[in-house]
């Protein structure tokens, strides 16, 4: 690392060397078959974990001596891997749009900006794009630490693979193959001064997650819901007395100023996104498995089902109940636990639960992901 000031010519030389090394790394990956498995399948055909290899990102961080942060190093290598994959075979990823929503940021965090990131209008459309083969992957929110479950996503997950309560089964290969736990940092965005704000817009969830801050710092200001944080940013860009709540990246995209940062009431505000695809993820040793089942409507049925996981020493990381449409009093139960179906105790637990459940469907297994943001 240079210990004294360098000239502009020396900086340009370093830049050229960086470009040469990046291209050399990409060429080596392609030549060594790093993008394909033994069957000749490309990374796109394998799993979401192959797109942004956690081992590569961790190796880069472990060998970082600064001054760049671990996050900056991860971002550089994530985009490098994204570029390598796209050079070999483009990856199409559907997400709940428009651009610079948190779903978009989650897609970037997982797949990089070299992937073809396609905004769609609804969560249902994210699933449709993957099920119909128009996109290799989809990114859909499933839960938020403040507002809880995302019902639209659970409804579609319940239909995957002929799961309980599905009126029409999706193609049997669609499954959850990854996750992105994204830390949500809300910002107040606008054109004018904070003292001039008369209206604050955002999607209902964002407004809910900032309600205490708004009451304390902008009392009396009108609060109005918008269809998305991106739409709210567009409204703020058009009207000086209107502010939006959204991601800091949205400010740059819409020409707004950041009037206040981190205004979420819960500093641990996290939204977890599911990555859906058509191929299973490989076992990593640090995996989670999701399933959905219906228990008999009788005393102790759910308790008996939960006891299975205790008996097999499997840690539950998520449980959610969901009413079956058109079937009053009947519920689906979404479960996620640490482990992979390749493990004997997981196989035995699933087999035991299948005997007790009216219906059961595995939704997918995937590597447990670190927090982003």
């Amino acid at each position: 690392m240079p210990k004294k000031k360098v000239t502009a010519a020396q900086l340009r030389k370093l830049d050229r060397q960086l470009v040469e090394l990046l291209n050399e790394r990409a060429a080596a990956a392609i030549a060594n078959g790093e993008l394909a498995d033994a069957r000749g399948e490309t990374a796109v055909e394998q799993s979401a974990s192959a797109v942004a290899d956690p081992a590569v990102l961790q190796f880069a961080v472990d060998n970082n001596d600064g001054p760049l942060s671990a996050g900056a190093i991860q971002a550089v290598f994530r985009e490098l891997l994204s570029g390598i994959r796209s050079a070999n075979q483009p990856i199409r990823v559907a997400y709940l749009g428009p651009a610079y929503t948190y779903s978009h940021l989650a897609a970037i965090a997982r797949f990089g900006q070299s992937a073809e990131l396609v905004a769609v209008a609804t969560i249902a459309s994210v699933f449709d794009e993957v099920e119909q083969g128009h996109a290799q992957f989809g990114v859909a929110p499933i839960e938020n630490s403040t507002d809880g479950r995302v019902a639209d996503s659970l409804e579609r997950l319940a239909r995957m693979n002929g799961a309980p309560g599905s009126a029409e089964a999706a193609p049997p290969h669609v499954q959850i193959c990854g996750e992105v736990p994204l830390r949500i940092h809300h910002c107040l965005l606008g054109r004018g001064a904070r003292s001039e704000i008369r209206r604050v817009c955002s999607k209902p969830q964002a407004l809910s997650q900032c309600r205490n801050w708004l009451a304390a710092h902008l009392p009396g200001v009108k609060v109005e819901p918008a269809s998305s944080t991106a739409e709210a940013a567009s409204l703020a860009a058009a009207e000086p007395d209107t502010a939006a709540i959204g991601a800091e990246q949205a400010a740059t995209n819409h020409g707004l100023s950041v009037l206040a940062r981190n205004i979420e009431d819960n500093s641990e505000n996290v939204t977890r996104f599911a990555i859906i695809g058509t191929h299973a993820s490989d076992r990593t040793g640090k995996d989670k498995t999701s399933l959905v089942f219906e228990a008999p409507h009788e005393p102790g049925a759910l308790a008996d089902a939960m006891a299975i996981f205790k008996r097999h020493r499997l840690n539950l990381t998520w449980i959610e109940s969901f009413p079956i449409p058109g079937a009053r009093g009947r519920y689906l139960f979404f479960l996620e636990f640490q482990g992979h179906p390749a493990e004997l105790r997981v196989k035995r637990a699933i087999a035991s639960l299948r005997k007790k459940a009216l219906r059961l469907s595995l939704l997918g297994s995937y590597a447990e992901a670190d927090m982003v943001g």
Side-chain angles (χ1 to χ4, degrees):
M1 183 181 298
K3 294 182 179 180
K4 60 182 181 179
K5 189 173 181 179
V6 298
T7 66
Q10 289 172 317
L11 287 174
R12 297 291 78 78
K13 181 180 179 181
L14 287 171
D15 291 341
R16 284 194 299 271
Q17 291 173 337
L18 276 174
V19 172
E20 290 173 1
L21 286 171
L22 290 172
N23 281 295
E24 185 178 342
R25 175 64 173 87
I30 296 172
N32 290 348
E34 192 174 307
L35 305 178
D37 69 3
R39 298 181 303 275
E41 292 179 339
T42 65
V44 170
E45 296 170 321
Q46 292 178 61
S47 70
S49 61
V51 178
D53 189 339
V56 174
L57 299 182
Q58 190 59 50
F59 180 83
V61 169
D62 291 344
N63 285 274
N64 175 39
D65 294 325
L68 292 177
S69 67
I73 292 295
Q74 280 191 326
V76 170
F77 272 78
R78 183 188 63 232
E79 291 302 327
L80 171 61
L81 294 176
S82 176
I84 292 172
R85 265 62 182 190
S86 295
N88 184 67
Q89 180 177 346
I91 299 172
R92 197 168 196 265
V93 182
Y95 70 92
L96 177 63
Y100 298 101
T101 58
Y102 291 105
S103 290
H104 187 203
L105 299 182
I108 291 173
R110 187 53 181 263
F111 296 97
Q113 297 189 75
S114 293
E116 183 184 357
L117 304 179
V118 181
V120 295
T122 65
I123 287 175
S125 297
V126 173
F127 285 81
D128 289 341
E129 288 289 299
V130 178
E131 291 174 0
Q132 295 168 12
H134 302 316
Q136 288 94 345
F137 299 106
V139 178
I142 57 174
E143 66 167 339
N144 175 264
S145 57
T146 300
D147 293 325
R149 69 186 186 186
V150 180
D152 288 350
S153 292
L154 295 194
E155 189 276 330
R156 288 307 296 259
L157 287 173
R159 291 173 51 186
M160 283 169 50
N161 307 339
S166 61
E168 184 177 341
H173 54 272
V174 176
Q175 58 194 287
I176 302 176
C177 56
E179 66 171 357
V180 179
L182 181 69
R183 199 179 299 278
I184 304 298
H185 294 300
H186 291 307
C187 295
L188 187 71
L189 314 176
R191 286 174 52 193
R194 214 161 93 179
S195 59
E196 299 173 352
I197 295 173
R198 300 293 177 265
R199 179 175 69 151
V200 176
C201 299
S202 195
K203 65 178 182 178
Q205 294 89 339
L207 295 173
S208 172
Q209 292 162 19
C210 302
R211 57 183 176 270
N212 293 335
W213 189 94
L214 291 172
H217 295 87
L218 293 173
V221 169
K222 188 176 181 180
V223 175
E224 292 186 0
S227 63
S228 67
T229 54
E231 183 197 16
S234 295
L235 293 172
E239 303 176 26
D241 65 347
T242 296
I245 293 176
E248 185 170 351
Q249 292 87 336
T252 302
N253 190 54
H254 291 85
L256 300 172
S257 299
V258 177
L259 306 181
R261 287 181 170 83
N262 301 337
I263 67 173
E264 62 276 3
D265 297 329
N266 178 8
S267 60
E268 295 299 317
N269 187 23
V270 175
T271 295
R272 193 158 64 101
F273 295 83
I275 308 299
I276 61 170
T278 56
H279 286 71
S281 293
D282 295 331
R283 180 181 176 184
T284 67
K286 189 183 178 184
D287 304 290
K288 296 196 289 189
T289 296
S290 289
L291 57 81
V292 58
F293 73 98
E294 181 184 358
H297 192 48
E298 58 188 38
L302 182 59
D304 289 344
M306 296 299 97
I308 291 172
F309 294 92
K310 179 180 180 180
R311 189 162 61 247
H312 290 88
R313 304 185 309 282
L314 293 171
N315 185 41
L316 292 174
T317 55
W318 183 49
I319 179 170
E320 187 70 63
S321 63
F322 192 74
I324 298 176
R328 184 180 178 184
R330 293 170 57 192
Y331 288 82
L332 299 177
F333 295 94
F334 291 85
L335 294 183
E336 179 187 75
F337 58 90
Q338 292 175 322
H340 192 279
E343 300 172 47
L344 182 59
R345 61 177 177 161
V346 173
K347 288 181 181 179
R348 288 175 173 171
I350 293 172
S352 296
L353 181 58
R354 199 179 293 277
K355 291 177 182 178
K356 291 184 176 296
L358 296 177
R359 290 172 290 182
L360 180 148
S361 180
L362 291 176
L363 298 177
S365 297
Y366 38 90
E368 188 170 353
D370 293 329
M371 194 76 65
V372 177

